Amino acid sequence: MLAYIARRLALIPLTLFGIITVNFLIVQIAPGGPVERMLVQLQGLDAGAGSMTGERSEVSGPRGGTGLNQGSSSYRGAQGLDPALIAQLEKQFGFDRPAHERYLQMLIDFARFDLGESFYKSQSVLSLIADKLPVSLSLGLWSMLIIYGVSIPLGIRKAVRDGTTFDAATSTAIFIGYAVPGFLFALVLIVVFAGGRYLDWFPLRGLVSENWADLSWAGKIADYLWHMVLPVTALTIGGLAQLTMLAKNTFLEEINKQYVLTARAKGLSETQVLYGHVFRNAMLLVIAGFPAALIATLFTGALLIEVMFSLDGLGLLSFEAIVNRDYPVVFGSLYVFSLIGLLLNVITDIAYHAVDPRIDFESRARG
């Protein structure tokens, strides 16, 4: 198992190289860029007008890999501007070099975990990610803890009482929750519980209160949890249905197998059968979906929730970076997200082996 884990870890740099390379190539042919964005701002135009209409400049410049004609600029919005200013902008954003040189330099920097600096925030990408990470971790980990803590016991109970009124009623409730988009449910929570129209029980914005630093340790924990109630609830509702039904169906399949009938014939109690035999086998499928679910919750599913509750997390940071063509933040966050996802996949394989030692990835790799 240790040799298998070592090989998986050794493949992570190669996988990261492929992900970064593909996305770098995509960016080269994408319309617009930070230089174009700055030029249209200097001309007093809408920064997103060119990309929103689908138009491209005749010469894409550093993003298109063709470079800037030093004699005259073909950037959209550059007419009437001093070519020296345009050259200065290219140098400022690092686009005065060919694409392959920038690519090689990026690989060298990423190997040293130097993710560069944001074009517009005057801050290193690593420090930006570190600043936003606590918000996304708070949302993701709390929601995953609640989803798994509720869905697995509920799924087991539904499997045991399959076809009963309890099973039908809970299925109706969780599918209604699944059908309602998270952002719509968040809006309802704001209107009802955050002073929107009815009750003013919970804060509307932020991770903590303004006087958080002055509170006692108990007060800080209570204040933090108080701010987490509504966004975590909105983020959790949609994830309950899928995992609950996965747990139920997996347990139903295992309960009907021969080894369960044998265990019951030996006189084992229902609790011993469920948690001593069925649980280990049924949990394999649930564990398999954990990395993807955590990544989706941390970096994609929380975007609208972060916006609605004014939580400045990684999802919002990545979205703003894409809109503003802040490429160091785009590539840096992609690098970190990919690295976390690959490490979680290795952790999942370890969890597989811990739950069921009969699973031996090392022997399968040799085979």
Side-chain angles (χ1 to χ4, degrees), residues 88-107:
Q88 182 181 353
L89 289 174
E90 281 197 318
K91 185 175 182 179
Q92 174 185 339
F93 291 114
F95 296 150
D96 55 335
R97 296 177 297 166
H100 69 276
E101 290 185 10
R102 289 184 281 112
Y103 170 70
L104 292 175
Q105 185 62 51
M106 183 180 67
L107 291 181

Side-chain angles (χ1 to χ4, degrees), residues 325-354:
R325 306 296 196 271
D326 197 344
Y327 293 127
V329 177
V330 172
F331 285 115
S333 57
L334 174 68
Y335 180 78
V336 172
F337 296 168
S338 302
L339 179 60
I340 293 175
L342 292 170
L343 291 175
L344 282 176
N345 284 329
V346 176
I347 294 173
T348 299
D349 289 345
I350 297 173
Y352 264 135
H353 184 73

Side-chain angles (χ1 to χ4, degrees), residues 7-19 335 339 342:
R7 284 199 298 271
R8 287 292 302 274
L9 292 175
L11 285 174
I12 288 179
L14 183 61
T15 307
L16 286 173
F17 168 77
I19 293 172
Y335 180 78
L339 179 60
L342 292 170

Side-chain angles (χ1 to χ4, degrees), residues 39-96:
L39 288 173
V40 294
Q41 284 183 339
L42 291 174
Q43 293 283 51
L45 302 175
D46 180 9
S51 59
M52 291 297 291
T53 58
E55 296 177 347
R56 294 191 57 182
S57 57
E58 187 174 325
V59 177
S60 299
R63 291 294 95 189
T66 57
L68 175 67
N69 184 348
Q70 298 298 324
S72 61
S73 173
S74 296
Y75 283 114
R76 184 175 300 278
Q79 287 77 10
L81 295 179
D82 187 354
L85 173 61
I86 300 172
Q88 182 181 353
L89 289 174
E90 281 197 318
K91 185 175 182 179
Q92 174 185 339
F93 291 114
F95 296 150
D96 55 335

Side-chain angles (χ1 to χ4, degrees), residues 47-240:
S51 59
M52 291 297 291
T53 58
E55 296 177 347
R56 294 191 57 182
S57 57
E58 187 174 325
V59 177
S60 299
R63 291 294 95 189
T66 57
L68 175 67
N69 184 348
Q70 298 298 324
S72 61
S73 173
S74 296
Y75 283 114
R76 184 175 300 278
Q79 287 77 10
L81 295 179
D82 187 354
L85 173 61
I86 300 172
Q88 182 181 353
L89 289 174
E90 281 197 318
K91 185 175 182 179
Q92 174 185 339
F93 291 114
F95 296 150
D96 55 335
R97 296 177 297 166
H100 69 276
E101 290 185 10
R102 289 184 281 112
Y103 170 70
L104 292 175
Q105 185 62 51
M106 183 180 67
L107 291 181
I108 295 173
D109 292 340
F110 278 19
R112 300 179 300 179
F113 223 74
D114 179 8
L115 306 184
E117 292 193 1
S118 169
F119 286 156
Y120 307 109
K121 294 182 181 293
S122 300
Q123 189 176 355
S124 71
V125 174
L126 203 56
S127 64
L128 274 174
I129 294 176
D131 290 343
K132 314 299 182 185
L133 188 60
V135 175
S136 295
L137 283 178
S138 295
L139 288 174
L141 293 180
W142 278 115
S143 61
M144 292 301 296
L145 179 64
I146 294 173
I147 289 173
Y148 272 76
V150 173
S151 295
I152 293 176
L154 181 59
I156 296 173
R157 182 53 54 189
K158 285 173 64 63
V160 172
R161 302 179 63 178
D162 182 44
T164 64
T165 303
F166 171 81
D167 181 37
T170 53
S171 293
T172 302
I174 62 177
F175 278 118
I176 290 175
Y178 182 73
V180 178
F183 72 89
L184 183 58
F185 192 75
L187 183 60
V188 173
L189 292 176
I190 291 172
V191 171
V192 176
F193 297 107
R197 185 172 182 181
Y198 299 100
L199 304 174
D200 193 9
W201 290 355
F202 298 98
L204 179 59
R205 61 183 67 244
L207 194 63
V208 293
S209 300
E210 293 182 358
N211 64 334
W212 187 79
D214 300 327
L215 300 175
S216 63
W217 280 108
K220 289 180 178 180
I221 295 174
D223 182 74
Y224 164 76
L225 295 176
W226 183 45
H227 282 75
M228 283 287 99
V229 170
L230 294 187
V232 169
T233 301
L235 197 57
T236 299
I237 294 300
L240 288 174

